[in-house]
Amino acid sequence: MDGNRRFTKKCKLMEGAGHKIGFSALMSMLKYCYEFGVRYVTVYAFSIENFKRSPEEVQSLMDLMLEKIEEILKEQSIVNRYGVRVIFSGNLKLLSEPVRLAAERAMLATAKNSKAVLSICVAYTSTNEIMHAVQESCEEKWDEITLLNSSGAGYGLISLGGYEQDVMDHLIKLTDIEKHMYMAAAPDPDIIVRTSGETRLSNFLLWQSANCYLYSPSVLWPEIGFRQFLWAILNFQRIHFYLDKQRKQS
Ligand SMILES: CC(C)=CCC/C(C)=C/CC/C(C)=C/COP(=O)(O)OP(=O)(O)O
């Protein structure tokens, strides 16, 4: 959701206004998604890098987050109207207690919703997610790892699948790591939309985006609307249709 501060400057608004309008833009985009049958949406709301911003800005973003979490829990909110399960993904221990508790409350309150999943990435970076998943996988198999070390057997520790899996037994497999990803509740994305014309992933879903279509409209996030939503879907379908045709011909 790139370009909220630039939108504030561009429209000469009060500090923080761009992020508030950005939240409304998010609600509109979610409505389009759910109306058109997109069941999994993941948003990059606050990265671990964002903690390096000025304390005032971090505080104001956290206040906004808190206010908006309360809003999405209301009976008539988009989340409840469309039966959306909300998941906060990231290193939630880095959040202040009120925000972390509100996030946990939101996850609990929507846990039984089953029509769609909204993953909100906060205190998130992809490299942190991967490190966390590898550490959890090692911890899970710690007894076996120590046994292996003491026996001196020539086994591999981590397997990424493929050839080496045939010739060696491995304790930690790709599926073990994936199960511990913050993103485990959602399938890999088909489309990543990054506004303001940026084509970098900036440490977002690096593991999950291997086969993903990146769409980067030039609008700032608060300006995003139905036109960009439609373009994202149509371009994705066009590329898929073309790749399918190529595959059938070869
Ligand atoms: C509950 C919930 C999901 C709340 C989300 C609210 C929201 C819109 C958060 C966006 C936060 C953010 C750092 C966006 C990037 O724009 P930027 O600040 O980096 O702006 P810039 O790209 O112009 O510098």
PDB file of all heavy atoms in Angstrom, residues 42-68:
ATOM      1  N   THR A  42      -3.845 -10.479   1.060  1.00  0.00           N
ATOM      2  CA  THR A  42      -2.799 -10.230   2.056  1.00  0.00           C
ATOM      3  C   THR A  42      -2.327  -8.792   1.885  1.00  0.00           C
ATOM      4  O   THR A  42      -2.031  -8.386   0.755  1.00  0.00           O
ATOM      5  CB  THR A  42      -1.613 -11.196   1.832  1.00  0.00           C
ATOM      6  OG1 THR A  42      -2.098 -12.533   1.976  1.00  0.00           O
ATOM      7  CG2 THR A  42      -0.493 -10.969   2.828  1.00  0.00           C
ATOM      8  N   VAL A  43      -2.291  -8.018   2.956  1.00  0.00           N
ATOM      9  CA  VAL A  43      -1.838  -6.628   2.829  1.00  0.00           C
ATOM     10  C   VAL A  43      -0.596  -6.376   3.682  1.00  0.00           C
ATOM     11  O   VAL A  43      -0.453  -6.907   4.780  1.00  0.00           O
ATOM     12  CB  VAL A  43      -2.938  -5.593   3.210  1.00  0.00           C
ATOM     13  CG1 VAL A  43      -4.069  -5.629   2.205  1.00  0.00           C
ATOM     14  CG2 VAL A  43      -3.469  -5.804   4.612  1.00  0.00           C
ATOM     15  N   TYR A  44       0.303  -5.549   3.113  1.00  0.00           N
ATOM     16  CA  TYR A  44       1.545  -5.208   3.812  1.00  0.00           C
ATOM     17  C   TYR A  44       1.266  -3.882   4.528  1.00  0.00           C
ATOM     18  O   TYR A  44       1.371  -2.815   3.934  1.00  0.00           O
ATOM     19  CB  TYR A  44       2.646  -5.035   2.760  1.00  0.00           C
ATOM     20  CG  TYR A  44       4.065  -5.213   3.244  1.00  0.00           C
ATOM     21  CD1 TYR A  44       4.371  -5.558   4.554  1.00  0.00           C
ATOM     22  CD2 TYR A  44       5.126  -5.058   2.353  1.00  0.00           C
ATOM     23  CE1 TYR A  44       5.694  -5.746   4.946  1.00  0.00           C
ATOM     24  CE2 TYR A  44       6.442  -5.243   2.754  1.00  0.00           C
ATOM     25  CZ  TYR A  44       6.721  -5.581   4.051  1.00  0.00           C
ATOM     26  OH  TYR A  44       8.025  -5.760   4.436  1.00  0.00           O
ATOM     27  N   ALA A  45       0.877  -3.972   5.800  1.00  0.00           N
ATOM     28  CA  ALA A  45       0.436  -2.771   6.511  1.00  0.00           C
ATOM     29  C   ALA A  45       1.565  -2.087   7.287  1.00  0.00           C
ATOM     30  O   ALA A  45       1.534  -0.872   7.485  1.00  0.00           O
ATOM     31  CB  ALA A  45      -0.698  -3.118   7.464  1.00  0.00           C
ATOM     32  N   PHE A  46       2.561  -2.863   7.747  1.00  0.00           N
ATOM     33  CA  PHE A  46       3.642  -2.246   8.528  1.00  0.00           C
ATOM     34  C   PHE A  46       4.818  -3.217   8.563  1.00  0.00           C
ATOM     35  O   PHE A  46       4.713  -4.325   9.082  1.00  0.00           O
ATOM     36  CB  PHE A  46       3.158  -1.944   9.955  1.00  0.00           C
ATOM     37  CG  PHE A  46       4.047  -1.003  10.708  1.00  0.00           C
ATOM     38  CD1 PHE A  46       3.870   0.362  10.595  1.00  0.00           C
ATOM     39  CD2 PHE A  46       5.070  -1.480  11.512  1.00  0.00           C
ATOM     40  CE1 PHE A  46       4.700   1.247  11.281  1.00  0.00           C
ATOM     41  CE2 PHE A  46       5.905  -0.614  12.200  1.00  0.00           C
ATOM     42  CZ  PHE A  46       5.719   0.756  12.088  1.00  0.00           C
ATOM     43  N   SER A  47       5.952  -2.785   8.009  1.00  0.00           N
ATOM     44  CA  SER A  47       7.105  -3.691   7.963  1.00  0.00           C
ATOM     45  C   SER A  47       7.992  -3.482   9.200  1.00  0.00           C
ATOM     46  O   SER A  47       7.862  -2.460   9.896  1.00  0.00           O
ATOM     47  CB  SER A  47       7.931  -3.429   6.698  1.00  0.00           C
ATOM     48  OG  SER A  47       8.700  -2.258   6.872  1.00  0.00           O
ATOM     49  N   ILE A  48       8.880  -4.421   9.433  1.00  0.00           N
ATOM     50  CA  ILE A  48       9.823  -4.254  10.559  1.00  0.00           C
ATOM     51  C   ILE A  48      10.673  -3.003  10.305  1.00  0.00           C
ATOM     52  O   ILE A  48      10.980  -2.245  11.219  1.00  0.00           O
ATOM     53  CB  ILE A  48      10.692  -5.532  10.732  1.00  0.00           C
ATOM     54  CG1 ILE A  48       9.807  -6.687  11.189  1.00  0.00           C
ATOM     55  CG2 ILE A  48      11.821  -5.289  11.740  1.00  0.00           C
ATOM     56  CD1 ILE A  48      10.512  -8.015  11.375  1.00  0.00           C
ATOM     57  N   GLU A  49      10.991  -2.763   9.027  1.00  0.00           N
ATOM     58  CA  GLU A  49      11.757  -1.560   8.649  1.00  0.00           C
ATOM     59  C   GLU A  49      11.019  -0.277   9.044  1.00  0.00           C
ATOM     60  O   GLU A  49      11.644   0.728   9.389  1.00  0.00           O
ATOM     61  CB  GLU A  49      11.987  -1.522   7.127  1.00  0.00           C
ATOM     62  CG  GLU A  49      12.809  -2.683   6.591  1.00  0.00           C
ATOM     63  CD  GLU A  49      14.186  -2.744   7.212  1.00  0.00           C
ATOM     64  OE1 GLU A  49      14.827  -1.688   7.311  1.00  0.00           O
ATOM     65  OE2 GLU A  49      14.606  -3.849   7.626  1.00  0.00           O
ATOM     66  N   ASN A  50       9.682  -0.305   8.997  1.00  0.00           N
ATOM     67  CA  ASN A  50       8.903   0.899   9.320  1.00  0.00           C
ATOM     68  C   ASN A  50       9.109   1.374  10.767  1.00  0.00           C
ATOM     69  O   ASN A  50       8.851   2.534  11.081  1.00  0.00           O
ATOM     70  CB  ASN A  50       7.399   0.668   9.065  1.00  0.00           C
ATOM     71  CG  ASN A  50       7.041   0.600   7.596  1.00  0.00           C
ATOM     72  OD1 ASN A  50       6.102  -0.084   7.201  1.00  0.00           O
ATOM     73  ND2 ASN A  50       7.788   1.309   6.759  1.00  0.00           N
ATOM     74  N   PHE A  51       9.586   0.473  11.655  1.00  0.00           N
ATOM     75  CA  PHE A  51       9.874   0.889  13.032  1.00  0.00           C
ATOM     76  C   PHE A  51      11.001   1.919  13.081  1.00  0.00           C
ATOM     77  O   PHE A  51      11.185   2.584  14.087  1.00  0.00           O
ATOM     78  CB  PHE A  51      10.257  -0.326  13.905  1.00  0.00           C
ATOM     79  CG  PHE A  51       9.071  -1.139  14.361  1.00  0.00           C
ATOM     80  CD1 PHE A  51       8.886  -2.432  13.902  1.00  0.00           C
ATOM     81  CD2 PHE A  51       8.146  -0.611  15.249  1.00  0.00           C
ATOM     82  CE1 PHE A  51       7.795  -3.184  14.314  1.00  0.00           C
ATOM     83  CE2 PHE A  51       7.049  -1.355  15.678  1.00  0.00           C
ATOM     84  CZ  PHE A  51       6.882  -2.656  15.210  1.00  0.00           C
ATOM     85  N   LYS A  52      11.777   2.028  11.965  1.00  0.00           N
ATOM     86  CA  LYS A  52      12.889   2.997  11.952  1.00  0.00           C
ATOM     87  C   LYS A  52      12.408   4.417  11.659  1.00  0.00           C
ATOM     88  O   LYS A  52      13.195   5.347  11.641  1.00  0.00           O
ATOM     89  CB  LYS A  52      13.914   2.588  10.892  1.00  0.00           C
ATOM     90  CG  LYS A  52      14.637   1.303  11.240  1.00  0.00           C
ATOM     91  CD  LYS A  52      15.684   0.981  10.199  1.00  0.00           C
ATOM     92  CE  LYS A  52      16.262  -0.400  10.401  1.00  0.00           C
ATOM     93  NZ  LYS A  52      16.705  -0.992   9.138  1.00  0.00           N
ATOM     94  N   ARG A  53      11.116   4.599  11.354  1.00  0.00           N
ATOM     95  CA  ARG A  53      10.592   5.960  11.120  1.00  0.00           C
ATOM     96  C   ARG A  53      10.583   6.734  12.446  1.00  0.00           C
ATOM     97  O   ARG A  53      10.806   6.146  13.505  1.00  0.00           O
ATOM     98  CB  ARG A  53       9.172   5.871  10.532  1.00  0.00           C
ATOM     99  CG  ARG A  53       9.199   5.277   9.135  1.00  0.00           C
ATOM    100  CD  ARG A  53       7.844   5.334   8.483  1.00  0.00           C
ATOM    101  NE  ARG A  53       7.947   4.799   7.121  1.00  0.00           N
ATOM    102  CZ  ARG A  53       6.968   4.785   6.251  1.00  0.00           C
ATOM    103  NH1 ARG A  53       5.794   5.279   6.577  1.00  0.00           N
ATOM    104  NH2 ARG A  53       7.151   4.283   5.045  1.00  0.00           N
ATOM    105  N   SER A  54      10.284   8.025  12.376  1.00  0.00           N
ATOM    106  CA  SER A  54      10.336   8.825  13.612  1.00  0.00           C
ATOM    107  C   SER A  54       9.340   8.250  14.635  1.00  0.00           C
ATOM    108  O   SER A  54       8.295   7.707  14.241  1.00  0.00           O
ATOM    109  CB  SER A  54       9.975  10.276  13.306  1.00  0.00           C
ATOM    110  OG  SER A  54       8.586  10.356  13.050  1.00  0.00           O
ATOM    111  N   PRO A  55       9.658   8.376  15.935  1.00  0.00           N
ATOM    112  CA  PRO A  55       8.748   7.822  16.961  1.00  0.00           C
ATOM    113  C   PRO A  55       7.326   8.365  16.812  1.00  0.00           C
ATOM    114  O   PRO A  55       6.345   7.640  17.026  1.00  0.00           O
ATOM    115  CB  PRO A  55       9.365   8.284  18.285  1.00  0.00           C
ATOM    116  CG  PRO A  55      10.783   8.611  17.963  1.00  0.00           C
ATOM    117  CD  PRO A  55      10.864   8.977  16.518  1.00  0.00           C
ATOM    118  N   GLU A  56       7.202   9.647  16.401  1.00  0.00           N
ATOM    119  CA  GLU A  56       5.859  10.249  16.253  1.00  0.00           C
ATOM    120  C   GLU A  56       5.079   9.528  15.150  1.00  0.00           C
ATOM    121  O   GLU A  56       3.895   9.247  15.287  1.00  0.00           O
ATOM    122  CB  GLU A  56       5.944  11.744  15.902  1.00  0.00           C
ATOM    123  CG  GLU A  56       6.598  12.634  16.941  1.00  0.00           C
ATOM    124  CD  GLU A  56       8.117  12.489  16.969  1.00  0.00           C
ATOM    125  OE1 GLU A  56       8.703  12.224  15.908  1.00  0.00           O
ATOM    126  OE2 GLU A  56       8.706  12.625  18.065  1.00  0.00           O
ATOM    127  N   GLU A  57       5.786   9.252  14.030  1.00  0.00           N
ATOM    128  CA  GLU A  57       5.082   8.615  12.906  1.00  0.00           C
ATOM    129  C   GLU A  57       4.706   7.166  13.249  1.00  0.00           C
ATOM    130  O   GLU A  57       3.594   6.720  12.934  1.00  0.00           O
ATOM    131  CB  GLU A  57       5.946   8.659  11.637  1.00  0.00           C
ATOM    132  CG  GLU A  57       5.114   8.279  10.440  1.00  0.00           C
ATOM    133  CD  GLU A  57       5.875   8.282   9.124  1.00  0.00           C
ATOM    134  OE1 GLU A  57       6.900   8.971   9.010  1.00  0.00           O
ATOM    135  OE2 GLU A  57       5.411   7.577   8.214  1.00  0.00           O
ATOM    136  N   VAL A  58       5.640   6.462  13.924  1.00  0.00           N
ATOM    137  CA  VAL A  58       5.337   5.071  14.310  1.00  0.00           C
ATOM    138  C   VAL A  58       4.120   5.080  15.239  1.00  0.00           C
ATOM    139  O   VAL A  58       3.170   4.308  15.052  1.00  0.00           O
ATOM    140  CB  VAL A  58       6.561   4.399  14.996  1.00  0.00           C
ATOM    141  CG1 VAL A  58       6.187   3.037  15.566  1.00  0.00           C
ATOM    142  CG2 VAL A  58       7.720   4.255  14.004  1.00  0.00           C
ATOM    143  N   GLN A  59       4.112   6.004  16.210  1.00  0.00           N
ATOM    144  CA  GLN A  59       3.000   6.071  17.159  1.00  0.00           C
ATOM    145  C   GLN A  59       1.686   6.372  16.439  1.00  0.00           C
ATOM    146  O   GLN A  59       0.657   5.739  16.702  1.00  0.00           O
ATOM    147  CB  GLN A  59       3.304   7.161  18.218  1.00  0.00           C
ATOM    148  CG  GLN A  59       2.297   7.209  19.358  1.00  0.00           C
ATOM    149  CD  GLN A  59       2.207   5.873  20.094  1.00  0.00           C
ATOM    150  OE1 GLN A  59       3.224   5.302  20.469  1.00  0.00           O
ATOM    151  NE2 GLN A  59       0.990   5.365  20.279  1.00  0.00           N
ATOM    152  N   SER A  60       1.749   7.298  15.493  1.00  0.00           N
ATOM    153  CA  SER A  60       0.507   7.674  14.812  1.00  0.00           C
ATOM    154  C   SER A  60      -0.004   6.519  13.939  1.00  0.00           C
ATOM    155  O   SER A  60      -1.215   6.279  13.853  1.00  0.00           O
ATOM    156  CB  SER A  60       0.723   8.985  14.054  1.00  0.00           C
ATOM    157  OG  SER A  60       0.372   8.882  12.726  1.00  0.00           O
ATOM    158  N   LEU A  61       0.918   5.741  13.329  1.00  0.00           N
ATOM    159  CA  LEU A  61       0.485   4.573  12.549  1.00  0.00           C
ATOM    160  C   LEU A  61      -0.093   3.484  13.453  1.00  0.00           C
ATOM    161  O   LEU A  61      -1.070   2.819  13.096  1.00  0.00           O
ATOM    162  CB  LEU A  61       1.657   4.023  11.731  1.00  0.00           C
ATOM    163  CG  LEU A  61       1.964   4.781  10.436  1.00  0.00           C
ATOM    164  CD1 LEU A  61       3.308   4.367   9.850  1.00  0.00           C
ATOM    165  CD2 LEU A  61       0.860   4.571   9.404  1.00  0.00           C
ATOM    166  N   MET A  62       0.499   3.334  14.628  1.00  0.00           N
ATOM    167  CA  MET A  62      -0.002   2.326  15.576  1.00  0.00           C
ATOM    168  C   MET A  62      -1.380   2.736  16.115  1.00  0.00           C
ATOM    169  O   MET A  62      -2.276   1.908  16.280  1.00  0.00           O
ATOM    170  CB  MET A  62       0.976   2.128  16.751  1.00  0.00           C
ATOM    171  CG  MET A  62       2.227   1.390  16.362  1.00  0.00           C
ATOM    172  SD  MET A  62       1.847  -0.291  15.807  1.00  0.00           S
ATOM    173  CE  MET A  62       2.955  -0.451  14.439  1.00  0.00           C
ATOM    174  N   ASP A  63      -1.552   4.064  16.369  1.00  0.00           N
ATOM    175  CA  ASP A  63      -2.868   4.547  16.829  1.00  0.00           C
ATOM    176  C   ASP A  63      -3.921   4.279  15.767  1.00  0.00           C
ATOM    177  O   ASP A  63      -5.046   3.848  16.057  1.00  0.00           O
ATOM    178  CB  ASP A  63      -2.815   6.062  17.114  1.00  0.00           C
ATOM    179  CG  ASP A  63      -1.996   6.362  18.365  1.00  0.00           C
ATOM    180  OD1 ASP A  63      -1.702   5.408  19.112  1.00  0.00           O
ATOM    181  OD2 ASP A  63      -1.639   7.541  18.574  1.00  0.00           O
ATOM    182  N   LEU A  64      -3.536   4.525  14.503  1.00  0.00           N
ATOM    183  CA  LEU A  64      -4.470   4.294  13.395  1.00  0.00           C
ATOM    184  C   LEU A  64      -4.825   2.803  13.310  1.00  0.00           C
ATOM    185  O   LEU A  64      -5.994   2.432  13.149  1.00  0.00           O
ATOM    186  CB  LEU A  64      -3.831   4.762  12.076  1.00  0.00           C
ATOM    187  CG  LEU A  64      -4.669   4.534  10.818  1.00  0.00           C
ATOM    188  CD1 LEU A  64      -5.881   5.466  10.808  1.00  0.00           C
ATOM    189  CD2 LEU A  64      -3.848   4.765   9.539  1.00  0.00           C
ATOM    190  N   MET A  65      -3.807   1.977  13.455  1.00  0.00           N
ATOM    191  CA  MET A  65      -4.012   0.531  13.394  1.00  0.00           C
ATOM    192  C   MET A  65      -5.015   0.102  14.465  1.00  0.00           C
ATOM    193  O   MET A  65      -5.971  -0.614  14.194  1.00  0.00           O
ATOM    194  CB  MET A  65      -2.655  -0.145  13.625  1.00  0.00           C
ATOM    195  CG  MET A  65      -2.595  -1.604  13.265  1.00  0.00           C
ATOM    196  SD  MET A  65      -2.273  -1.845  11.544  1.00  0.00           S
ATOM    197  CE  MET A  65      -0.580  -1.343  11.446  1.00  0.00           C
ATOM    198  N   LEU A  66      -4.794   0.610  15.681  1.00  0.00           N
ATOM    199  CA  LEU A  66      -5.666   0.261  16.812  1.00  0.00           C
ATOM    200  C   LEU A  66      -7.108   0.685  16.514  1.00  0.00           C
ATOM    201  O   LEU A  66      -8.056  -0.093  16.660  1.00  0.00           O
ATOM    202  CB  LEU A  66      -5.130   0.966  18.063  1.00  0.00           C
ATOM    203  CG  LEU A  66      -5.605   0.465  19.408  1.00  0.00           C
ATOM    204  CD1 LEU A  66      -5.289  -0.997  19.586  1.00  0.00           C
ATOM    205  CD2 LEU A  66      -4.925   1.262  20.522  1.00  0.00           C
ATOM    206  N   GLU A  67      -7.252   1.931  16.070  1.00  0.00           N
ATOM    207  CA  GLU A  67      -8.591   2.476  15.768  1.00  0.00           C
ATOM    208  C   GLU A  67      -9.272   1.639  14.683  1.00  0.00           C
ATOM    209  O   GLU A  67     -10.443   1.292  14.779  1.00  0.00           O
ATOM    210  CB  GLU A  67      -8.400   3.924  15.294  1.00  0.00           C
ATOM    211  CG  GLU A  67      -9.668   4.646  14.930  1.00  0.00           C
ATOM    212  CD  GLU A  67      -9.333   5.969  14.220  1.00  0.00           C
ATOM    213  OE1 GLU A  67      -8.349   6.635  14.629  1.00  0.00           O
ATOM    214  OE2 GLU A  67     -10.051   6.313  13.256  1.00  0.00           O
ATOM    215  N   LYS A  68      -8.495   1.260  13.648  1.00  0.00           N
ATOM    216  CA  LYS A  68      -9.094   0.562  12.505  1.00  0.00           C
ATOM    217  C   LYS A  68      -9.392  -0.902  12.815  1.00  0.00           C
ATOM    218  O   LYS A  68     -10.308  -1.479  12.255  1.00  0.00           O
ATOM    219  CB  LYS A  68      -8.187   0.680  11.262  1.00  0.00           C
ATOM    220  CG  LYS A  68      -8.027   2.110  10.776  1.00  0.00           C
ATOM    221  CD  LYS A  68      -9.384   2.761  10.529  1.00  0.00           C
ATOM    222  CE  LYS A  68      -9.279   4.211  10.095  1.00  0.00           C
ATOM    223  NZ  LYS A  68     -10.577   4.914  10.060  1.00  0.00           N
TER     224      LYS A  68
END
